[in-house]
Amino acid sequence: MVASLFRSIPKERYGEIRDMFLRMRNELGVPLEVVNDGEVTALAGSMSLGEGRVLGLALGSSEAGGYATAAGNITGWLDELAFAR
């Protein structure tokens, strides 16, 4: 599966952008983590409520889900639900 961000990239040039975020992290010398919008929603909900155990659902061009644990950490468990069977 290819991220929506890369849909217009021709297949023969995909190798040039495949590691784009890793290169950005290394070239800038900063911590960088790429996460799904469902996880960001859960994290934002946990931070705004000041509590953990939060399920976040993001309804955009598709549906995504994320979970923030009791400690307020995201897990990567749910992600892109639009492709769930």
Side-chain angles (χ1 to χ4, degrees), residues 40-55:
V40 173
T41 302
L43 182 60
S46 177
M47 292 171 70
S48 67
L49 294 170
E51 298 182 17
R53 297 186 180 104
V54 175
L55 177 66

Side-chain angles (χ1 to χ4, degrees), residues 33 35-36 38-44 66-69 71-77:
E33 189 73 32
V35 296
N36 187 283
E39 293 171 305
V40 173
T41 302
L43 182 60
Y67 182 72
T69 66
N73 300 315
I74 55 176
T75 64
W77 291 345

Side-chain angles (χ1 to χ4, degrees), residues 5-83:
L5 181 65
F6 305 141
R7 277 190 293 207
S8 63
I9 304 295
K11 288 182 181 182
E12 63 273 6
R13 297 196 64 197
Y14 182 70
E16 297 175 39
I17 53 93
R18 186 172 174 208
D19 63 348
M20 176 177 71
F21 295 111
L22 298 173
R23 286 185 293 136
M24 287 170 56
R25 179 194 63 196
N26 295 338
E27 289 176 20
L28 296 172
V30 297
L32 177 66
E33 189 73 32
V34 177
V35 296
N36 187 283
D37 52 346
E39 293 171 305
V40 173
T41 302
L43 182 60
S46 177
M47 292 171 70
S48 67
L49 294 170
E51 298 182 17
R53 297 186 180 104
V54 175
L55 177 66
L57 295 175
L59 305 173
S61 58
S62 64
E63 182 180 5
Y67 182 72
T69 66
N73 300 315
I74 55 176
T75 64
W77 291 345
L78 297 174
D79 286 288
E80 198 66 49
L81 300 176
F83 303 108

